[in-house]
Amino acid sequence: MIYSKSTIKNIADSIGVPKLKDEITSAMAQDVEFRLHEIITEAMKFMRHSKRTKLTVTDINSALRVRNVEPIYGFETGRPIKFNKTATALEEIYYVDDEVIDLDRLMEEPLPSVPLEVVYTAHWLAIEGVQPRIQQNPAPIDEEEPAAKKPAKTPQRQDSVETIPLVKHVLSKELQLYFECITESLVSPDPLVKSTALESISIDAGIHQLVTYFVQYVAMTVKNNLNNLSTLNTAMAVAKALRRNPNLFVEPYMHQLIPSLLTCLVSKRLCESYTEDHWSLRDGAAEQIAEICQQFGQSYHTLQARITRTLLRAFLDPTKPLTTHYGAIVGLTKLGVSIIKVLVLPNIKAYMSLLDAEMEKRDNQQLIYDGAHCQTALINVLKTLARDSDDIEPVGVTIPQRSRLAEVVGDTLARLVFDDPDAGKITAAVLAANKEAKAKETSK
C-alpha cells in the first residue's frame, strides 16, 4: 500500500480523531490508494489530449474538477516542486520548503500599476455580406495577387482631406448571372416572364447581396424613363417586391428608394400621352410610401413629417401642374385621416378655386382631363374621412346642408359630393371635422 496504517493514524490524530482501529486504518488506506489511482488516470487523459508526455499540476487540477473535488491551491505548473526529506523517530517525511518573505522589503516596494478598466466595443464584421475595411477587421486578401506582394494601402491626403479607398463589393458568378437574367426578364414583352422575375425577387432568400443593385436599378430606371409608363410600372413593381421579401433587410436603402417613389408620385409627366393611365402608377407609388411610413416610422421619427411636408408643398403650389397636384393629394390621403383633417381639408376650398379657374380653359383638353382626376381624388379624400367616422349619423341631403358643405370645400366639390350616393355620410363627416378644427383653434 502507498499509505501505511501509521500515516493514516497520524493524519487522524492531527484532525482530532485519536485511537483508530487497525481495521479502519487499513480500509481507509486502501480507499485512498483507489482514489489516487482514479485521479492519476483521469489526469493522464488530460495529458494525452494535450499532446504532452509530462504530467503537470494543471492536469491534476483538471482531474479533480471532473470528479467534483476542489483543486489543490498553492502549486503552479511553471514552478518546479522540490521535496526535502526529514527523519523522525517513526518514519521519514518529505516536505516542500516555503519561501521566506521579508515583510519590510515587501512594504517598501512600489505598488503595481492599476490595471486598465475592462470595456467592450462593437463593430461590424460584415454588412450585407461585405466586410467593412476598418482596423478591427482583418485585411482583405486579393485572390489575384498574394498579400505579401501587395503594397500596403495607406490613406491618401489631398488638400488636407483624407481619402479612404472604397470597399470592394465582390459578387459571385452565380449572383451576377442571376441579376442579369432578372433584369433581362423585367424588360421582356412576355407578362409571364416578367411576373416570374418579380416573384423571384419577392421570395428568394439568397439575394441579400443584390439588394443595393436592385435599388440602383430602380433609381436609374425611373431617372432614364420618365416618359415610358410601362418601364416605370416595372420599376415600382421591383421596389414593391424588394420590400415584400421577408428574407431581405432593406431598411438601410430606404433613403435611396423613397426619391424614386416620390418621382413616380408627383412628377409632371410620366407618359407620352396624357390619356395613358399614369394615375394607377401614382396611386401605387402613394400606397408604397404610406407602407414605408407605417413600417419605419417608429425607427425614423422624421420620415413621415418630411414626406408630408414635400407633398403638402406640391399640393399648395399653384405653379405646379395638375398631375403633380393629383399625386400630392393621393399621397396625403394614403398617410391617414389625421393628415387629411389637419392639412388637406382646411385647404380644399382654396385649391378648388384654383382648379375651377384652370378647368374653365375649354381650349385645353388636357387641363380638363387632369382636373377631373383631381376632383375625383378630392372626393376620395372626403370618402376616406367619412369611412373613418362610423359614429357620425348621416345628415339630410338638403340645400342648407349643401350650402354648409360648400363653405368648407367649395361649390363645385359640394355639387359633386351631393351627386354621390353617400352624400349624407360624407357631408356629416366633413362638417364634424371642420367643427372640431374650429374648436381647437378657439381653445388656443
Side-chain angles (χ1 to χ4, degrees), residues 104-335:
D104 294 334
R105 181 176 58 83
L106 183 63
M107 294 295 292
E108 293 175 357
E109 289 182 354
L111 295 175
S113 58
V114 179
L116 297 177
E117 184 180 357
V118 178
V119 294
Y120 294 93
T121 58
H123 68 89
W124 288 104
L125 180 62
I127 302 176
E128 295 294 315
V130 181
Q131 176 182 292
R133 185 168 295 182
I134 57 179
Q135 184 179 4
Q136 290 84 353
N137 286 340
I141 299 176
D142 195 343
E143 296 178 355
E144 299 178 358
E145 185 178 358
K149 298 182 180 180
K150 290 177 64 178
K153 292 185 178 181
T154 56
Q156 303 173 356
R157 289 187 175 273
Q158 297 178 355
D159 299 331
S160 302
V161 178
E162 185 177 359
T163 304
I164 300 177
L166 297 176
V167 177
K168 188 176 180 181
H169 194 173
V170 181
L171 285 179
S172 64
K173 293 182 178 180
E174 292 79 5
L175 285 177
Q176 294 179 27
L177 181 61
Y178 175 86
F179 183 73
E180 292 175 1
C181 292
I182 290 294
T183 52
E184 291 175 1
S185 301
L186 290 174
V187 297
S188 172
D190 189 353
L192 180 61
V193 174
K194 186 181 295 186
S195 63
T196 304
L198 292 172
E199 184 181 2
S200 177
I201 296 175
S202 63
I203 63 174
D204 203 321
I207 61 172
H208 58 276
Q209 283 188 300
L210 293 175
V211 173
T212 180
Y213 294 94
F214 279 120
V215 172
Q216 186 179 11
Y217 170 82
V218 172
M220 296 305 297
T221 301
V222 172
K223 179 181 178 181
N224 299 327
N225 297 275
L226 280 178
N227 293 331
N228 192 330
L229 185 60
S230 175
T231 305
L232 292 176
N233 279 318
T234 302
M236 291 297 98
V238 172
K240 187 174 183 178
L242 285 174
R243 293 191 308 101
R244 295 293 175 85
N245 192 330
N247 305 297
L248 300 181
F249 183 56
V250 297
E251 183 176 343
Y253 307 99
M254 283 297 105
H255 69 285
Q256 298 176 351
L257 203 57
I258 289 176
S260 301
L261 296 174
L262 287 174
T263 300
C264 290
L265 179 60
V266 297
S267 181
K268 176 181 178 180
R269 189 175 181 181
L270 297 175
C271 53
E272 292 291 342
S273 174
Y274 69 89
T275 57
E276 294 184 59
D277 186 20
H278 60 91
W279 314 104
S280 299
L281 174 63
R282 298 178 191 273
D283 294 342
E287 185 176 350
Q288 289 202 55
I289 289 175
E291 290 177 356
I292 289 174
C293 290
Q294 184 177 5
Q295 184 177 359
F296 302 107
Q298 298 294 330
S299 302
Y300 304 96
H301 302 290
T302 61
L303 175 63
Q304 182 168 334
R306 291 162 60 188
I307 292 176
T308 302
R309 192 181 305 113
T310 301
L311 296 178
L312 183 63
R313 190 181 299 118
F315 173 49
L316 299 179
D317 190 349
T319 63
K320 298 292 184 182
L322 296 182
T323 51
T324 299
H325 292 166
Y326 175 87
I329 294 169
V330 173
L332 291 170
T333 304
K334 295 291 184 180
L335 290 178

Side-chain angles (χ1 to χ4, degrees), residues 24-76:
I24 296 176
T25 55
S26 178
M28 291 186 66
Q30 294 177 8
D31 185 69
V32 169
E33 183 177 353
F34 173 74
R35 301 296 179 188
L36 286 175
H37 184 270
E38 275 189 333
I39 296 298
I40 294 173
T41 303
E42 198 73 37
M44 290 180 66
K45 292 180 182 179
F46 284 97
M47 179 191 71
R48 287 194 296 269
H49 284 295
S50 300
K51 309 297 182 183
R52 289 184 280 101
T53 57
K54 182 179 180 181
L55 195 66
T56 63
V57 177
T58 305
D59 298 329
I60 299 294
N61 286 337
S62 300
L64 290 172
R65 289 190 180 95
V66 169
R67 296 289 177 177
N68 292 324
V69 179
E70 190 174 0
I72 301 173
Y73 299 102
F75 299 95
E76 298 178 2

